[in-house]
Amino acid sequence: MSAAKGLFKKWLSNLDAMKKQIKERLNAVWNREAITEEEWEQLEETLIQSDIGPRLAMEIIEELQATKSEHKDWQSCLFEKLYSIIEKNDARLFPEADPQFSKIVVLMGINGAGKTTLAGKLARFFKDQGEKVSLVAADTFRAAAQEQLEIWAKRAGVNIIKSSSGTNPGAAVFDALQLIKKRGDTVAIVDTAGRSHVNKNLLSELEKLSKVIYREIPSSNVENLLVIDALAGQNAFLQAENIAKFIPITGVALTKWDSQAKGGIVFRIHQELALPIKLVGTGETIEDLFVFDPEEFVRAIVY
């Protein structure tokens, strides 16, 4: 747990650029008697540039204007507003799992989102908790995808279940589930093929794969995680809206978080998509993964 906290703090330090911009603007004007309309607009633009989105940026400015008129400090106001959005974020994985069944994580998202890398990190995460873990290669049409997953399986020290090239992904997952049951694996992480959110054929394939899993495993033991690049911006919302029509998304995993990711996307995902942020990954090492903590996240931005 302490190691996870350390990683979270390391990640939070990457928010400094966004935090500095916002704090400098607010500190510069807050102690003055009046803030001009142009200055409020500039502050709103700064918030939008932090990936927070126009809707929330406008709400925050309205709250700050009220706070200013009441001669209160801006930090308490901003903390309360941002925390109110994500305080109910439930980052737990499998909170109501049935111990009689294996737990299945399905990773889905567009090409390049970082699904395979996340699969490896997540495998180590569960292994460190004492789980017996297997990685399942459900991207059966790209040999390179299975090879990459095999590298991560070795790094994590877990099993990998592969199928011959060209195998139907649903059939591959069905066979994997039978093997998992036979071996007594407690967690399986399914690495699916990258899917454009506008390709209905690929999304239908994902839907069939999901139905195979639900026939074998209760929904309480399935996490369908949408893997989103932290820099994806508006495209992330289009992905979620379309994929959710074919398969129930239980949470979001944000990947590729580095000094360029600004943080605001966390609030937009939670507010506009009503999806919990479950995991955040940064860096290329297998340890760079942690469970999202909303209060620490907001404190890091505001204070």
Side-chain angles (χ1 to χ4, degrees), residues 112-225:
K115 294 183 298 299
T116 304
T117 299
L118 177 65
K121 293 178 180 180
L122 199 50
R124 170 63 69 83
F125 175 86
F126 281 117
K127 186 185 178 187
D128 287 347
Q129 294 180 1
E131 304 278 8
K132 186 178 179 184
V133 186
S134 278
L135 288 173
V136 178
D139 186 350
T140 56
F141 292 97
R142 285 196 314 121
Q146 299 204 42
E147 291 168 6
Q148 186 186 6
L149 191 65
E150 192 161 20
I151 291 170
W152 278 105
K154 289 177 181 176
R155 288 178 185 171
V158 302
N159 294 315
I160 182 169
I161 302 174
K162 300 188 295 182
S163 299
S164 56
S165 181
T167 301
N168 177 278
V173 169
F174 177 81
D175 291 343
L177 291 177
Q178 308 316 307
L179 182 56
I180 287 162
K181 290 177 186 177
K182 185 177 179 181
R183 293 196 309 212
D185 291 357
T186 57
V187 175
I189 301 163
V190 181
D191 182 30
T192 68
R195 293 165 200 279
S196 166
H197 56 281
V198 296
N199 189 317
K200 291 186 177 181
N201 290 334
L202 288 175
L203 292 174
S204 294
E205 187 181 84
L206 184 63
E207 182 181 32
K208 291 173 185 174
L209 182 152
S210 179
K211 287 178 178 178
V212 167
I213 294 172
Y214 283 124
R215 282 199 295 265
E216 303 290 321
I217 305 290
S219 60
S220 60
N221 287 49
V222 180
E223 287 279 1
N224 295 317
L225 299 184

Side-chain angles (χ1 to χ4, degrees), residues 51-298:
D51 287 343
I52 217 162
R55 171 183 161 190
L56 181 54
M58 185 167 61
E59 289 178 18
I60 290 171
I61 292 300
E62 289 173 355
E63 297 265 355
L64 287 171
Q65 287 173 329
T67 298
K68 173 67 175 168
S69 66
E70 295 168 7
H71 304 287
K72 297 178 182 177
D73 69 283
W74 67 263
Q75 285 178 310
S76 297
C77 168
L78 190 56
F79 177 84
E80 288 171 11
K81 176 61 179 177
L82 294 179
Y83 187 54
S84 70
I85 295 168
I86 59 173
E87 65 179 321
K88 294 182 180 178
N89 185 85
D90 187 356
R92 294 176 299 166
L93 296 168
F94 309 108
E96 299 176 356
D98 185 336
Q100 297 182 67
F101 294 88
S102 300
K103 297 186 282 285
I104 311 297
V105 181
V106 181
L107 302 179
M108 53 201 174
I110 63 171
N111 281 321
K115 294 183 298 299
T116 304
T117 299
L118 177 65
K121 293 178 180 180
L122 199 50
R124 170 63 69 83
F125 175 86
F126 281 117
K127 186 185 178 187
D128 287 347
Q129 294 180 1
E131 304 278 8
K132 186 178 179 184
V133 186
S134 278
L135 288 173
V136 178
D139 186 350
T140 56
F141 292 97
R142 285 196 314 121
Q146 299 204 42
E147 291 168 6
Q148 186 186 6
L149 191 65
E150 192 161 20
I151 291 170
W152 278 105
K154 289 177 181 176
R155 288 178 185 171
V158 302
N159 294 315
I160 182 169
I161 302 174
K162 300 188 295 182
S163 299
S164 56
S165 181
T167 301
N168 177 278
V173 169
F174 177 81
D175 291 343
L177 291 177
Q178 308 316 307
L179 182 56
I180 287 162
K181 290 177 186 177
K182 185 177 179 181
R183 293 196 309 212
D185 291 357
T186 57
V187 175
I189 301 163
V190 181
D191 182 30
T192 68
R195 293 165 200 279
S196 166
H197 56 281
V198 296
N199 189 317
K200 291 186 177 181
N201 290 334
L202 288 175
L203 292 174
S204 294
E205 187 181 84
L206 184 63
E207 182 181 32
K208 291 173 185 174
L209 182 152
S210 179
K211 287 178 178 178
V212 167
I213 294 172
Y214 283 124
R215 282 199 295 265
E216 303 290 321
I217 305 290
S219 60
S220 60
N221 287 49
V222 180
E223 287 279 1
N224 295 317
L225 299 184
L226 178 63
V227 182
I228 293 178
D229 183 329
L231 297 173
Q234 183 60 32
N235 194 40
F237 299 88
L238 298 175
Q239 292 172 45
E241 288 170 354
N242 286 330
I243 290 175
K245 295 173 185 176
F246 291 83
I247 180 171
I249 301 172
T250 60
V252 170
L254 282 171
T255 61
K256 302 183 182 181
W257 199 290
D258 59 19
S259 59
Q260 299 303 310
K262 300 169 187 174
I265 192 172
V266 166
F267 301 101
R268 290 194 68 195
I269 288 170
H270 199 74
Q271 187 182 53
E272 297 180 27
L273 300 178
L275 290 172
I277 308 294
K278 300 261 185 174
L279 300 163
V280 179
T282 180
E284 286 298 317
T285 67
I286 202 164
E287 294 84 10
D288 287 334
L289 179 73
F290 43 85
V291 176
F292 181 71
D293 184 322
E295 184 171 358
E296 279 203 45
F297 176 71
V298 178

